[in-house]
Amino acid sequence: MKRIAVYCGSATPADERYVALAREVGQTLATRNIGVVYGGGMRGLMGAVAQGALDAGGEVIGVIPEALAIAEIANPGCTDLRVVTGMHERKRAFVDLSDGFLTLPGGVGTMDELWEAVSWSQLGYHAKPVGLLNAFGFFDHLLAFNHHMVATGFVRQSHAGIIMAEPDLDLLLARMTGHEPHVPIFGMKASDL
C-alpha cells in the first residue's frame, strides 16, 4: 500500500490517549513509507494524524471541501492540499488517491466515511481493504452491531469480513496488506442475491 485514507475525528476529546494514538498512526504510516490521505483539517485527531506523518517526513494529502477551507481550518502544512467543492468530491478523492482505508475514533463524519467505504466495497465500487483500529475498545458496540447485521441476514456472510478490526495498528496493517477482495454484489448473479 502506497497511500491509506485515514478517517478520524476533527474534534479533540478530553481523553488525551486519542490524540496520541492519531499522532502515532501518522508517524507509523510515514516510517513505513505509506502516504496519508485525510480530510485536510488541522484540528483534532485529523490534525494529529497529519502532524505525526509530517514530523516523520511522510507524504500527507489533505482533501477539504471549499466551505471548510474558507473557515480557516485547512492545514497549510500538508504536502498536497486539495480543495474540492463538497463532501461527495472529497470522499471520491479518498477512494481515488488511496490503496485502503483506516478508521480511527471519531464522530458522525467519521462513521459516514467508514460506512461508505464498506458499502462501496460490498457493491464493488472498490476492492480495497477497510481497516478499523479499535483502540481502547472505542468501536466495540459498532462491531457488535455489524455482527448483528450479519446474523440477521442484512449483510451477506460473504461480506461479513469487509471490516477488518484490530486493537493493534501493526496487526491491522498486516491484515490490510494481505487483503483478498471478496465477490462484490456487482459480480453476483441475481440468484445469489
Side-chain angles (χ1 to χ4, degrees), residues 157-173:
Q157 194 63 44
S158 61
H159 298 149
I162 290 175
I163 296 176
M164 295 182 222
E166 293 290 346
D168 177 81
L169 181 60
D170 290 332
L171 287 174
L172 183 55
L173 290 175

Side-chain angles (χ1 to χ4, degrees), residues 7-166:
Y7 301 143
C8 60
S10 60
T12 303
D15 188 338
E16 296 175 7
R17 296 180 302 169
Y18 292 106
V19 173
L21 171 74
R23 190 173 293 114
E24 179 185 333
V25 166
Q27 181 179 34
T28 299
L29 293 176
T31 59
R32 293 183 182 203
N33 294 317
I34 300 172
V36 171
V37 180
Y38 86 115
M42 62 181 174
R43 302 176 196 269
L45 270 64
M46 271 195 209
V49 166
Q51 198 57 55
L54 291 167
D55 288 348
E59 174 192 42
V60 176
I61 300 174
V63 184
I64 192 163
E66 220 169 15
L68 294 176
I70 292 169
E72 298 181 2
I73 64 166
N75 186 347
C78 293
T79 52
D80 182 359
L81 181 63
R82 300 178 186 202
V83 179
V84 295
T85 56
M87 294 300 285
H88 294 293
E89 292 83 6
R90 178 195 221 181
K91 291 190 285 185
R92 183 76 233 179
F94 290 152
V95 173
D96 292 343
L97 294 169
S98 70
D99 301 310
F101 310 92
L102 173 60
T103 302
L104 307 182
V108 173
T110 304
M111 294 302 95
D112 174 52
E113 292 164 340
L114 168 65
W115 287 117
E116 183 163 289
V118 171
S119 176
W120 284 22
S121 174
Q122 181 177 275
L123 290 167
Y125 284 112
H126 73 77
K128 301 173 184 184
V130 180
L132 186 72
L133 186 57
N134 190 24
F136 322 118
F138 183 82
F139 292 113
D140 285 351
H141 296 291
L142 182 141
L143 291 168
F145 178 64
N146 192 56
H147 291 304
H148 178 66
M149 289 190 294
V150 172
T152 55
F154 286 105
V155 173
R156 289 167 186 79
Q157 194 63 44
S158 61
H159 298 149
I162 290 175
I163 296 176
M164 295 182 222
E166 293 290 346

